[in-house]
């Protein structure tokens, strides 16, 4: 369970005239709601006029807007579900962003990731006369592409320039006239897929979003690749080659849906195998039951239970009307979520020696409150098992825990974490064991666990572009 503050965004795109486009767009965006809860937005063209609708809130709030009726006349649309990594939780920072070109065209952009050299490029653009209306790295990417387009009047050249110029993590979907353009950074940090059905092309951060529309044939937008779709068909171009890939292992650990396949890996199978591996650490030990923290610890809990032959006990009942605590934008909101989110059937857990399983711990505040809740309901012993290694190091590529002082495993030893959380024992999955569970371990970034950064990093913070007074 992530108890940090708000990352990973969700991005979508639909190209082609389609009946009931509002319903289909709602389904594909709603399927990515787990990737962000701060805001949602869409951009589409109707009769050569660009329409933009954004809300602070959930996807359902976006589709409650009266302006959404205009979407039915669109032939293409892009959308964004926001979880902030740079830029504060402000409506001006909600994507997609739009900008005009020198020849009167509109470019709009939706971005998932974190660009590590964005401040440097932003300062360069400002010296050249560019002004910025938001505090996000995504707007820097948009300005760069517009600048290059104005110079060359060539949208593909402009995107190729961005792929070469920008460092860090970016999966991006753009709307340009009647074209949708999707591309990824050369390292492949963040996922992006597309599929075709009945002549309509669908783009999404995860394949499970495509499956919500019965799109089961899909492909990856490859790292360093541009995919352009318009009335002339589809064009694909690989801009960079032979880069050392850095797929984010945390997509498998926490962020992606268990029903998704990410970077060629089944999220469900990965988490299940993590649970099996954890159970091997407890060989010869017996417990009365296993409590997987819903929903983040469920799959690992199943793996642990099957390996150990110990039953799962639903000792935490989750209210599904409460959002994910990690992606709430501040600590007070996360605390409120925890208080309202879980309920304990006392008669099921009282007097028991139980294994509590979750996918991860970042700050530890959420886990501490869960342990307190179980103790109040009479649990005799709590043995905490975490299906990933200790998070010790900052992430600069799209997950919002950039400060080492915020990471409990960076500040405390394992025994100190045990005492702080008030559990009887605690075990984490070892980095080597976790990486043995993916097919191509060398293609993944695990820097938040290992401290080994495969790509360039800069000391970033969420307020990197905020004005300091």
């Amino acid at each position: 369970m992530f108890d940090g503050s708000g990352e990973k965004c969700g991005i979508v795109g639909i190209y082609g005239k389609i009946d009931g486009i509002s319903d289909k767009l709602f389904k594909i965006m709603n399927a990515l709601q787990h990737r962000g809860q701060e805001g949602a937005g869409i951009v589409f063209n109707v009769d050569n006029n660009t329409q933009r609708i954004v809300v602070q809130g959930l996807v359902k709030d976006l589709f409650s807007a009266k302006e959404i009726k205009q979407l039915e006349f669109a032939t293409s649309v892009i959308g964004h579900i926001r979880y902030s990594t740079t830029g504060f939780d402000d409506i001006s920072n909600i994507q997609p962003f739009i900008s005009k070109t020198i020849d009167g065209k509109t470019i709009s952009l939706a971005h998932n990731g974190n660009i590590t050299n964005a401040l440097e490029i932003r300062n360069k653009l400002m010296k050249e006369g560019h002004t910025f209306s938001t505090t996000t790295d995504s707007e820097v990417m948009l300005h760069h592409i517009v600048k290059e387009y104005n110079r060359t009047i060539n949208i593909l050249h402009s995107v190729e320039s961005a792929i070469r110029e920008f460092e860090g993590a970016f999966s991006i979907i753009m709307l340009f006239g009647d074209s949708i353009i999707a591309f990824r950074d050369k390292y492949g940090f963040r996922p992006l897929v597309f599929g075709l059905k009945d002549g309509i092309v669908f783009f999404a951060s995860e394949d499970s979003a495509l499956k919500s529309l019965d799109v089961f044939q899909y492909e990856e937008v490859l790292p360093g690749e541009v995919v352009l779709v318009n009335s002339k068909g589809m064009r694909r171009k690989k801009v960079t080659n032979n880069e050392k890939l850095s797929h984010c292992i945390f997509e498998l650990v926490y962020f992606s849906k268990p029903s998704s396949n990410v970077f060629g890996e089944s999220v469900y199978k990965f988490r299940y195998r993590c649970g099996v591996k954890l159970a091997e650490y407890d060989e010869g030990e017996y417990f009365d039951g296993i409590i997987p923290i819903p929903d983040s610890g469920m799959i690992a809990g199943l793996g642990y239970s099957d390996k150990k032959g110990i039953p799962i006990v639903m000792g935490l009942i989750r209210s599904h009307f409460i959002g994910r605590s990690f992606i709430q934008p501040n600590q007070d909101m996360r605390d409120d979520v925890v208080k309202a989110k879980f309920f304990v059937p006392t008669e099921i857990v009282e007097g028991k020696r139980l294994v509590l399983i979750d996918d991860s711990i970042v700050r530890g505040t959420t886990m501490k409150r869960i342990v307190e809740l179980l103790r109040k309901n009479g649990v005799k012993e709590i043995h905490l098992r975490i299906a990933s290694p200790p998070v010790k190091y900052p992430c600069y590529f799209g997950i919002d825990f950039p400060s080492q002082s915020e990471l409990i495993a960076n500040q405390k030893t394992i025994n100190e974490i045990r005492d702080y959380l008030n559990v009887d024992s605690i075990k984490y999955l070892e980095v080597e064991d976790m990486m043995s569970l993916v097919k191509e371990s060398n293609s993944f970034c695990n820097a938040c666990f290992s401290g080994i950064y495969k790509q360039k990093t800069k000391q970033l913070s969420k307020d990197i572009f905020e004005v300091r007074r």
Side-chain angles (χ1 to χ4, degrees):
M1 169 184 300
F2 240 111
D3 50 8
S5 57
E7 163 217 85
K8 235 145 262 190
C9 302
I11 57 176
V12 304
I14 300 177
Y15 177 84
K17 182 61 178 173
I18 182 172
D19 292 333
I21 190 171
S22 294
D23 178 63
K24 289 178 173 56
L25 183 63
F26 173 80
K27 286 179 180 177
I28 198 171
M29 290 184 71
N30 192 60
L32 296 175
Q33 186 72 86
H34 61 286
R35 297 183 71 89
Q37 296 176 7
E38 291 183 36
I42 59 173
V43 170
F44 56 94
N45 291 326
V46 176
D47 297 328
N48 295 319
N49 291 318
T50 301
Q51 308 285 330
R52 178 176 180 264
I53 307 171
V54 299
V55 298
Q56 283 183 293
L58 305 178
V59 171
K60 66 179 179 62
D61 300 316
L62 175 69
F63 282 82
S64 298
K66 60 182 180 181
E67 299 90 345
I68 207 77
K69 294 178 181 178
Q70 290 294 314
L71 179 60
E72 291 303 327
F73 303 101
T75 56
S76 52
V77 58
I78 65 172
H80 187 269
I81 300 99
R82 174 170 165 77
Y83 157 89
S84 61
T85 48
T86 61
F88 286 118
D89 182 21
D90 183 85
I91 195 164
S92 67
N93 286 329
I94 296 175
Q95 302 181 40
F97 298 141
I98 61 175
S99 183
K100 287 286 187 181
T101 63
I102 197 170
D103 56 356
K105 296 178 181 176
T106 300
I107 299 176
S108 54
L109 176 149
H111 168 216
N112 171 27
N114 215 38
I115 298 167
T116 56
N117 63 341
L119 182 59
E120 173 187 330
I121 295 175
R122 186 180 193 259
N123 290 339
K124 186 186 302 182
L125 288 168
M126 290 182 71
K127 289 178 182 178
E128 295 172 358
H130 290 255
T131 58
F132 292 82
S133 57
T134 76
T135 57
T136 73
D137 54 350
S138 308
E139 190 186 14
V140 179
M141 172 70 78
L142 178 59
H143 274 254
H144 175 87
I145 290 172
V146 171
K147 170 194 169 183
E148 287 300 307
Y149 179 84
N150 288 343
R151 188 176 66 84
T152 64
I153 314 299
N154 185 319
I155 192 62
L156 273 179
H157 169 87
S158 306
V159 170
E160 291 170 25
S161 170
I163 292 174
R164 294 188 178 99
E165 184 80 13
F166 284 84
E167 292 292 332
F170 50 90
S171 287
I172 288 176
I173 298 177
M174 288 175 28
L175 186 62
F176 176 71
D178 73 335
S179 301
I180 286 184
I181 304 165
F183 60 98
R184 288 172 72 193
D185 65 77
K186 54 196 171 188
Y187 309 117
F189 276 104
R190 301 285 154 230
L192 186 58
V193 295
F194 68 95
L196 183 69
K197 182 181 180 185
D198 300 329
I200 308 300
V201 184
F202 301 90
F203 295 86
S205 294
E206 297 179 33
D207 65 338
S208 57
L210 301 184
K211 293 173 187 175
S212 71
L213 299 179
D214 295 331
V215 179
F216 294 101
Q217 299 297 320
Y218 63 89
E219 297 182 51
E220 258 193 307
V221 178
L222 299 175
E225 182 184 37
V226 182
V227 178
L228 183 150
V229 185
N230 58 22
S231 57
K232 297 178 182 178
M234 179 182 291
R235 179 178 177 185
R236 304 181 68 173
K237 183 175 182 181
K238 194 79 160 62
V239 178
T240 62
N241 291 297
N242 302 319
E243 291 290 345
K244 187 181 292 185
L245 295 179
S246 293
H247 301 318
C248 176
I249 195 69
F250 223 83
E251 289 279 355
L252 296 174
V253 169
Y254 176 81
F255 266 103
S256 294
K257 260 184 168 31
S259 54
S260 291
N261 289 275
V262 177
F263 312 130
E265 298 281 350
S266 163
V267 177
Y268 186 104
K269 289 181 179 179
F270 173 82
R271 294 178 187 173
Y272 182 89
R273 292 193 295 260
C274 287
V276 170
K277 183 61 70 173
L278 268 180
E280 294 175 3
Y281 296 178
D282 286 332
E283 186 177 357
E285 300 225 31
Y286 182 80
F287 306 99
D288 295 319
I290 300 159
I291 300 180
I293 295 181
D295 290 329
S296 53
M298 291 301 298
I299 310 303
L302 287 171
Y304 188 101
S305 174
D306 287 349
K307 179 67 176 178
K308 289 286 289 180
I310 298 173
I312 285 179
V313 176
M314 297 307 292
L316 289 167
I317 307 300
R318 178 187 169 186
S319 169
H320 285 273
F321 299 99
I322 305 295
R324 299 178 102 181
S325 59
F326 170 63
I327 54 179
Q328 301 302 323
N330 62 63
Q331 187 60 50
D332 288 341
M333 292 176 67
R334 291 191 292 275
D335 291 347
D336 289 342
V337 166
V338 173
K339 292 173 185 175
K341 189 174 184 177
F342 296 113
F343 302 88
V344 178
T346 307
E347 65 280 5
I348 300 299
V349 303
E350 193 171 18
K352 301 286 181 65
R353 298 180 70 243
L354 298 172
V355 175
L356 184 63
I357 294 184
D358 208 357
D359 62 343
S360 56
I361 303 176
V362 179
R363 289 165 172 83
T365 51
T366 299
M367 185 63 71
K368 185 174 179 65
R369 284 163 176 76
I370 289 173
V371 171
E372 288 172 354
L373 183 61
L374 291 171
R375 292 289 190 197
K376 287 177 182 177
N377 283 271
V379 177
K380 181 180 179 181
E381 292 182 16
I382 299 174
H383 299 272
L384 183 59
R385 302 294 179 261
I386 303 300
S388 65
V391 178
K392 293 184 177 182
Y393 305 97
C395 174
Y396 304 107
F397 305 107
I399 298 177
D400 184 25
F401 44 82
S403 170
Q404 290 193 16
S405 64
E406 296 177 275
L407 306 177
I408 189 171
N410 185 277
Q411 301 296 306
K412 297 179 185 295
T413 66
I414 299 297
N415 287 339
E416 287 172 340
I417 295 172
R418 178 199 63 201
D419 295 342
Y420 170 77
L421 297 176
N422 190 26
V423 294
D424 294 278
S425 71
I426 181 171
K427 293 179 184 178
Y428 288 86
L429 196 63
E430 297 289 339
V431 174
E432 295 78 11
D433 286 338
M434 178 184 69
M435 299 311 298
S436 74
L437 302 178
V438 294
K439 294 189 286 285
E440 300 288 342
S441 60
N442 289 335
S443 68
F444 282 86
C445 174
N446 61 18
C448 57
F449 301 121
S450 67
I452 301 171
Y453 297 92
K454 297 171 68 175
Q455 310 303 339
K456 298 178 189 177
T457 64
K458 294 183 184 296
Q459 295 295 321
L460 300 178
S461 64
K462 190 174 182 177
D463 62 346
I464 188 171
F465 300 137
E466 303 292 340
V467 176
R468 289 173 171 79
R469 302 183 188 281

